[in-house]
């Protein structure tokens, strides 16, 4: 998971068992990251919780492989 401080800097924390709960659903960021890394064209990713309407919504930030990034242009 990651957190943004008052200056806008992101800090990533590894190994924490954090649950993001949008609309009452339990979502483990590590599970989403694991599934995303299995997808073709994704080299790595991080899932962060973004506050929205009083809930934390999962937001994935993927790092694409060079081939995928080239195809997206």
């Amino acid at each position: 998971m990651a957190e943004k401080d008052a200056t806008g800097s992101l800090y990533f924390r590894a190994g924490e068992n954090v649950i993001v709960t949008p609309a009452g659903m339990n979502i483990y960021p590590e599970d989403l990251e694991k599934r995303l890394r299995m997808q073709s064209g994704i080299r790595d990713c991080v899932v962060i919780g973004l506050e929205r309407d009083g809930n934390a919504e999962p937001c994935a930030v993927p790092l694409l492989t060079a081939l995928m990034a080239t195809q997206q242009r």
Side-chain angles (χ1 to χ4, degrees):
M1 282 295 282
E3 278 186 359
K4 191 185 324 184
D5 69 10
T7 66
S9 298
L10 282 176
Y11 293 92
F12 295 97
R13 302 177 304 186
E16 293 188 16
N17 194 12
V18 178
I19 302 173
V20 180
T21 56
M25 296 186 313
N26 292 338
I27 297 175
Y28 293 86
E30 295 85 6
D31 291 342
L32 288 176
E33 292 166 356
K34 180 180 173 182
R35 300 269 184 201
L36 285 168
R37 288 183 187 113
M38 296 168 76
Q39 301 300 311
S40 168
I42 296 182
R43 188 169 78 194
D44 203 359
C45 66
V46 64
V47 173
I48 59 175
L50 296 179
E51 291 295 322
R52 184 178 213 183
D53 298 328
N55 290 314
E57 247 182 58
C59 177
V61 181
L63 178 60
L64 304 177
T65 62
L67 178 60
M68 180 63 86
T70 302
Q71 292 175 348
Q72 295 294 322
R73 292 183 188 178

